[in-house]
Amino acid sequence: MTTRRSFLAGAGLLAAAGTVNRTALAALPEPVIQTSAATAAPLTPPNGRPYDPVVTLNGWTAPWRMRNGVKEFHLVAEPVEREIAPGMVARLWGYNGQSPGPTIEVVEGDRVRIFVTNHLPEHTTIHWHGQRLPNGMDGVGGLNQPQIPPGKTFVYEFIARRPGTFMYHPHADEMVQMAMGMMGFWVTHPREAHPHIARVDRDFCFLLNAYDIEPGSYVPKINTMLDFNLWTWNSRAFPGIDTLNVRKGDRVRVRIGNLTMTNHPIHIHGHEFEVTGTDGGPTRPESRWPEVTTDVAVGQMRQIEFIADEEGDWAMHCHKSHHTMNAMGHDVPTMIGVDHRGLVEDIQKLVPDYMLMGERGMADMGEMEMPLPDNTLPMMTGQGPFGAVEMGGMFTVLKVRRDQKPGDYRDPGWFKHPKGTVAYEWAGAGLPEPARSDAAGSSSMPRTGGRQSVEMTVRKPTGHQGH
Amino acid sequence: MRASLPISLLAATVLTGCASVAIDENFAEVERFARDEAGSEVRWLRSDAEREAMRAEVDRLLAQPLAIDDAVRIALGYSPAFQSLLAEAAVVSADATGSARIGNPVFTFERLFRSGAEGRELDIGRSLGISLFDLLFLPARLEQAEFRQQQTRLQSSIALLSTVTEVRQAWVDAVAARQVARYREEVATAAGTAAELARRMQATGNFSRLQRAREQALAAEETANLIRARQNATAAREALIQRLGLTPSQAQALRLPDQLPALPEAPMDEATTGAALLENRLDVRIARTDLDRTAKSLGLTRVTSVVNGLHVAGVRNSETGESTQRGFEIELPLPLFDFGDAVRAGSEARYLSAFNRTLELANNASSQVRVAYEGYRSAYDLARHYRNEVVPLRQNITEESVLQYNGMLIGVFELLAAARSQSASVVQAIEAERDFWRAEAALKASLLGQPIVPLTLQSGASPAEAGGGH
Ligand SMILES: [Cu+2]
């Protein structure tokens, strides 16, 4: 739920930013604290220039106040607890109660004033990734401004000159602060019809982020560079990520920013899309080509658009398959095909709760429900209408429905397939074995002398022993 | 004199006592000590019937796993080694009794002929003599003998104490070594399972030869540890069997409990074990007795150094034709060459030496009790620490490792390594408990006055860390 003390009357108000003193509060817009990781409905602008709002996946848009024609936002950098998915909470740093912080939505030409209060134990700054602004507002600590000490509030003020997709993040001790989850989305809507910017029916945005949280612990290991175990969108991992629910025929825009330390090929099933913008701005229509996967490199933003004209539940995910697994050990030996006969009992004598896994592959993980360390997520999880989805991390579903009402972002449930449109088991006669060639593919430099083949006992997978 | 001499001889015999009475008294004292201080009973097997009965009783005790107190009973009532100690004590006691007796009276008989003008003359001289010294100093000698008896009793008690301590420690060693061997087997099994899995994984191409070799090397080392542990268990068992003096068939029948007794809830506190009991220590009592005796003998030496050769005899001379001559004869060496000063100086030096030895012993005894208590207390703390901290933590690591394994966060090799470490920590805990029970036996012995080599705690090498097979 969003708490909007000064902006909207509402139940469930939270004490905001406890240490900001009363006199300061009179001059500052009260920060809005978000306590829920659910996707908030789009925030239709109550004042200022009108625009078509975005929906932040598992996030929300920061309310603002207009003061003498200036849009004032208040971001509070602070330690937060973020539910990564049901069953796992991370102790991160974020803004206004969550990581990522609220999406800031403004309109091209708006004068924007952002108060940034630092409630972290160390200094911080905010860099406004992709914005045209005065050099002193760019937020690189030491270079453009002094860092914001703990307990202090700084003000950033500039005009949102260029429409497009942006993000914000610290530029002070940034390795630590970004590994801890400090980031947020920024959308500048065009002031008027723009030849390269289409009007869309649904506009989603999320940031790619990654954490290394030891299973059973809560705080990310900030020194990890590549071996992360939680690959998230807006600090949420499947099955904690909300689905993208659209009406058939909608023009859909998805804005994606990458603040991890590796690239992510984002892939959508059932539709082709075009990259209509980057953090550099809208792409020229003649530069666009159809794709089903777009690689979002580190520090980049991609804005993709498509017509959702195929009904169904379509997977949308990062195509690096490890990024759709959730927490897993990267040093675990492969057990496929290893005969465990006679050993399972031995191991159980020593470790009574031992269960054999991995002998056939890792799909066991999706099927078995076994106790895990506290505060971690199982790999390969999520139950679909046909069984285990066997996913985790950067994976969600694009749900296209003809009866989804315009402006309705609620989950319509599982797709009801028209008769005869689901893959089925072959029930006819046995098929003849296809002819195979063993002559093809000789190597360019055949080996002379030495062993020709490696001695190996290959065991065909059989039943599962031991459980 | 004719009448009075046999009377004093008779008196001496009564006063020095019958040897078997003294032996029985001494044994009764040892029995009392065993009962009161060692909480066990002593049997002295002096006939075949007694031996048979005890043998049957031992067989009965061996029908179930042998408890520590039963081991002590067997050692004190059955083991040939201790029976031999009892017999030796009886020998010493008999000697002591003998030493208090007066030298046998000397009868001399002279028969002299003289052939002369008056014809043949027969001269017969008879004398019955006794060492006057023996007689005069009989009370002192009786006292000396009593000292020796007392020493014998104390020495027997020390021997008993030493036997009890050794048996208790041997029992603890044997039970612990067996328990350790069992856990070493678990460790070896864990390593062996990992090695077998690694072998199969190499066979299917999931592991390299290097990975497999690492697991196998680990298993091979654990097998070596297991062989050592088994050997220790056998040796410790045999050491106990030797202390109990079991026959081969009894040795075969001997079974031991599966584990050491549980640690006491609280350790003995230092105040009750401390200086108050020092007076009771056997070694201190022996030294005291020794000092007393030396002091007495010093006084004695002052007198006897001069008169040591005093000899008195009744004389009766018969000569042909003459009336019989009667009288006394006294022999006294003249202190012309030996004035006895050397003996006196030696005696005085012996007294000084005994005096200082007693002082030293008392000081050392108090230190030994402190060392024994410290050893006991550290062993208790360590054993508790292993039981309450180390083992539960290792167990916890295994449990958490299972959860991690469930989530495929770690592999089975790390899981087995955790199990191995857990078993190794149990081995350390058993060793710590063993040290505690050894230290307890040593402390008890130390309180009663048997110096025992102080306990050294083992430098528990940390169990093999989770190596994992990657
Ligand atoms: Cu990815």
Side-chain angles (χ1 to χ4, degrees):
Chain A
M1 112 184 359
T2 312
T3 305
R4 308 165 184 193
R5 255 213 232 159
S6 8
F7 302 95
L8 302 168
L13 296 185
L14 261 204
T19 60
V20 178
N21 68 46
R22 288 277 146 200
T23 43
L25 273 178
L28 291 173
E30 193 150 351
V32 178
I33 306 302
Q34 179 62 261
T35 57
S36 159
T39 304
L43 174 61
T44 308
N47 50 36
R49 295 189 179 100
Y51 61 82
D52 296 328
V54 299
V55 165
T56 307
L57 205 61
N58 295 102
W60 82 113
T61 288
W64 63 86
R65 83 177 173 195
M66 293 301 294
R67 197 179 174 93
N68 303 326
V70 180
K71 262 187 182 166
E72 288 187 340
F73 295 86
H74 192 172
L75 294 178
V76 178
E78 60 185 357
V80 301
E81 287 206 336
R82 172 73 170 180
E83 188 189 65
I84 298 277
M88 190 195 174
V89 168
R91 294 190 187 135
L92 304 176
W93 289 354
Y95 299 97
N96 301 31
Q98 295 288 317
S99 159
T103 298
I104 290 176
E105 283 183 85
V106 298
V107 179
E108 177 185 3
D110 279 352
R111 173 166 282 275
V112 183
R113 184 179 299 132
I114 304 145
F115 296 87
V116 178
T117 300
N118 183 8
H119 283 169
L120 298 174
E122 68 167 352
H123 66 223
T124 187
T125 65
I126 299 190
H127 164 62
W128 315 97
H129 181 112
Q131 303 281 356
R132 295 279 186 145
L133 36 61
N135 185 241
M137 293 292 162
D138 198 41
V140 179
L143 178 66
N144 308 120
Q145 66 167 92
Q147 285 90 347
I148 310 170
K152 301 289 185 194
T153 299
F154 273 41
V155 182
Y156 293 87
E157 189 168 335
F158 54 90
I159 292 166
R161 282 161 61 182
R162 187 160 74 70
T165 299
F166 308 102
M167 51 194 176
Y168 62 87
H169 61 79
H171 228 297
D173 194 16
E174 64 184 89
M175 181 205 89
V176 168
Q177 295 188 8
M178 284 167 64
M180 289 293 286
M182 304 278 294
M183 55 191 72
F185 222 92
W186 178 302
V187 175
T188 302
H189 295 278
R191 180 179 198 153
E192 53 207 20
H194 186 291
H196 299 164
I197 302 174
R199 284 200 66 173
V200 295
D201 302 296
R202 314 256 173 175
D203 200 339
F204 296 94
C205 65
F206 56 87
L207 285 167
L208 309 175
N209 37 18
Y211 299 100
D212 182 14
I213 300 179
E214 184 78 21
S217 74
Y218 291 81
V219 178
K221 286 152 79 175
I222 53 176
N223 286 321
T224 299
M225 183 171 172
L226 293 172
D227 197 13
F228 295 90
N229 58 15
L230 293 164
W231 300 96
T232 52
W233 290 352
N234 281 349
S235 304
R236 290 284 283 189
F238 180 80
I241 302 178
D242 281 340
T243 51
L244 280 64
N245 311 316
V246 307
R247 178 185 176 83
K248 188 185 178 193
D250 275 352
R251 184 170 187 89
V252 179
R253 179 186 289 138
V254 183
R255 306 166 191 256
I256 306 159
N258 181 2
L259 285 176
T260 72
M261 289 200 252
T262 187
N263 60 312
H264 300 276
I266 302 297
H267 175 54
I268 295 184
H269 294 208
H271 298 80
E272 320 82 53
F273 57 77
E274 287 179 344
V275 175
T276 59
T278 73
D279 24 359
T283 55
R284 291 186 305 279
E286 61 270 28
S287 74
R288 301 173 185 174
W289 54 30
E291 288 186 301
V292 295
T293 304
T294 187
D295 195 29
V296 187
V298 180
Q300 285 186 339
M301 314 207 70
R302 289 291 177 268
Q303 178 184 300
I304 60 174
E305 285 171 34
F306 58 94
I307 305 294
D309 51 6
E310 294 292 344
E311 272 197 287
D313 292 334
W314 302 106
M316 174 180 180
H317 59 94
C318 170
H319 218 291
K320 285 185 173 175
S321 49
H322 267 61
H323 294 181
T324 58
M325 288 296 280
N326 269 340
M328 63 182 274
H330 291 114
D331 286 330
V332 176
T334 304
M335 309 304 287
I336 294 172
V338 178
D339 184 359
H340 277 68
R341 269 172 297 185
L343 292 181
V344 174
E345 298 73 21
D346 264 3
I347 298 174
Q348 278 168 345
K349 259 182 251 157
L350 298 162
V351 187
D353 294 335
Y354 167 81
M355 297 263 269
L356 173 59
M357 279 189 302
E359 193 195 30
R360 302 178 301 181
M362 274 161 93
D364 289 349
M365 270 307 295
E367 294 166 12
M368 290 176 162
E369 288 227 343
M370 289 186 294
L372 297 179
D374 289 344
N375 200 47
T376 194
L377 298 172
M379 292 189 298
M380 306 174 69
T381 181
Q383 284 294 316
F386 299 104
V389 179
E390 300 176 353
M391 286 287 160
M394 294 176 162
F395 179 93
T396 188
V397 179
L398 169 71
K399 294 192 172 185
V400 183
R401 299 286 188 279
R402 72 180 69 216
D403 49 2
Q404 189 84 3
K405 302 262 182 310
D408 182 2
Y409 285 84
R410 282 174 304 179
D411 185 345
W414 297 120
F415 182 58
K416 289 170 191 68
H417 298 268
K419 202 171 181 327
T421 64
V422 177
Y424 58 97
E425 184 183 349
W426 170 252
L431 299 172
E433 187 70 13
R436 292 197 170 103
S437 161
D438 54 8
S442 63
S443 51
S444 54
M445 291 178 224
R447 184 171 176 169
T448 55
R451 281 182 310 172
Q452 286 301 306
S453 68
V454 181
E455 276 177 55
M456 264 201 335
T457 318
V458 177
R459 208 169 68 86
K460 295 253 170 74
T462 58
H464 223 193
Q465 290 104 14
H467 57 84
Chain B
M1 192 69 216
R2 195 179 190 168
S4 61
L5 200 59
I7 290 168
S8 33
L9 288 176
L10 186 69
T13 313
V14 170
L15 281 172
T16 50
C18 164
S20 64
V21 168
I23 288 170
D24 286 344
E25 274 172 6
N26 286 357
F27 178 66
E29 170 70 17
V30 170
E31 260 189 321
R32 188 201 58 75
F33 182 80
R35 205 173 43 245
D36 296 354
E37 307 292 350
S40 191
E41 62 174 321
V42 181
R43 300 267 186 86
W44 191 11
L45 311 175
R46 279 181 281 194
S47 69
D48 283 348
E50 280 173 320
R51 257 187 294 280
E52 250 334 289
M54 189 62 201
R55 191 192 159 97
E57 195 185 328
V58 170
D59 285 344
R60 192 178 51 73
L61 287 176
L62 292 176
Q64 59 239 349
L66 186 70
I68 188 163
D69 289 336
D70 290 339
V72 172
R73 271 180 71 190
I74 292 177
L76 296 185
Y78 180 69
S79 90
F82 193 69
Q83 293 299 313
S84 154
L85 278 174
L86 288 176
E88 278 160 22
V91 170
V92 174
S93 171
D95 286 353
T97 306
S99 75
R101 289 183 181 161
I102 313 171
N104 284 330
V106 179
F107 174 73
T108 49
F109 179 82
E110 284 174 326
R111 193 165 182 278
L112 307 167
F113 284 105
R114 191 189 291 140
S115 302
E118 300 90 14
R120 280 181 355 150
E121 273 175 35
L122 180 62
D123 188 0
I124 295 174
R126 284 169 294 184
S127 78
L128 181 64
I130 188 167
S131 166
L132 192 60
F133 174 80
D134 279 1
L135 210 53
L136 287 174
F137 294 97
L138 184 61
R141 292 182 60 174
L142 287 175
E143 214 168 301
Q144 292 285 344
E146 182 46 36
F147 280 135
R148 283 188 63 190
Q149 298 291 8
Q150 204 176 328
Q151 293 291 71
T152 308
R153 287 198 290 273
L154 291 170
Q155 297 287 9
S156 302
S157 295
I158 285 200
L160 178 130
L161 194 54
S162 150
T163 302
V164 169
T165 309
E166 282 169 10
V167 168
R168 284 182 168 270
Q169 293 192 335
W171 183 91
V172 165
D173 284 352
V175 173
R178 187 159 164 269
Q179 224 179 327
V180 164
R182 239 183 4 256
Y183 275 94
R184 283 270 163 227
E185 208 166 283
E186 269 194 14
V187 176
T189 305
T193 304
E196 173 57 18
L197 195 56
R199 190 189 65 74
R200 295 187 193 178
M201 287 179 75
Q202 197 218 330
T204 48
N206 299 50
F207 253 15
S208 68
R209 276 208 297 258
L210 174 62
Q211 287 170 303
R212 171 193 168 177
R214 281 194 182 125
E215 292 300 328
Q216 284 193 320
L218 223 51
E221 278 167 28
E222 293 303 351
T223 304
N225 284 336
L226 174 60
I227 292 169
R228 274 188 214 107
R230 280 184 177 151
Q231 160 57 21
N232 283 346
T234 309
R237 180 190 161 88
E238 289 301 332
L240 176 65
I241 286 168
Q242 287 174 25
R243 302 242 180 268
L244 299 181
L246 299 183
T247 64
S249 68
Q250 287 171 330
Q252 214 165 20
L254 171 70
R255 279 179 300 140
L256 290 168
D258 283 338
Q259 53 196 31
L260 292 172
L263 287 180
E265 270 316 300
M268 284 189 259
D269 76 275
E270 196 167 7
T272 57
T273 59
L277 296 168
L278 204 58
E279 295 292 306
N280 296 335
R281 276 180 59 119
L282 293 168
D283 52 348
V284 174
R285 278 160 64 188
I286 286 179
R288 280 258 177 68
T289 315
D290 197 41
L291 183 64
D292 284 353
R293 188 178 61 83
T294 318
K296 285 258 162 69
S297 79
L298 176 62
L300 212 55
T301 307
R302 291 216 172 95
V303 185
T304 58
S305 56
V306 181
V307 295
N308 198 7
L310 196 65
H311 194 263
V312 66
V315 180
R316 181 187 154 104
N317 286 334
S318 312
E319 206 171 327
T320 309
E322 303 280 333
S323 57
T324 303
Q325 283 182 308
R326 287 201 179 86
F328 289 99
E329 184 184 275
I330 289 178
E331 230 178 73
L332 176 68
L334 295 175
L336 271 178
F337 311 107
D338 181 358
F339 295 94
D341 54 338
V343 175
R344 277 198 304 279
S347 230
E348 271 163 19
R350 264 192 293 283
Y351 174 77
L352 270 181
S353 162
F355 175 76
N356 283 300
R357 250 204 317 279
T358 309
L359 271 186
E360 185 203 6
L361 201 91
N363 289 340
N364 286 356
S366 129
S367 168
Q368 279 162 10
V369 170
R370 287 195 296 273
V371 167
Y373 183 79
E374 273 312 302
Y376 164 85
R377 193 53 213 262
S378 314
Y380 181 80
D381 291 346
L382 194 66
R384 261 186 86 89
H385 179 69
Y386 269 104
R387 192 192 67 183
N388 295 350
E389 301 290 330
V390 178
V391 171
L393 280 173
R394 284 284 165 199
Q395 161 117 32
N396 191 242
I397 288 172
T398 306
E399 287 163 4
E400 287 297 322
S401 300
V402 172
L403 299 182
Q404 296 249 330
Y405 168 81
N406 287 349
M408 285 201 182
L409 301 162
I410 60 168
V412 65
F413 292 96
E414 279 165 277
L415 188 59
L416 287 169
R420 215 170 59 225
S421 295
Q422 190 191 330
S423 295
S425 79
V426 174
V427 166
Q428 290 180 313
I430 295 166
E431 284 171 349
E433 278 185 18
R434 175 201 65 197
D435 287 352
F436 167 75
W437 289 114
R438 285 186 68 96
E440 196 234 28
L443 174 62
K444 282 184 171 164
S446 187
L447 290 174
L448 293 172
Q450 187 207 7
I452 300 270
V453 180
L455 170 91
T456 14
L457 294 176
Q458 291 214 332
S459 64
S462 68
E465 270 307 322
H470 49 81

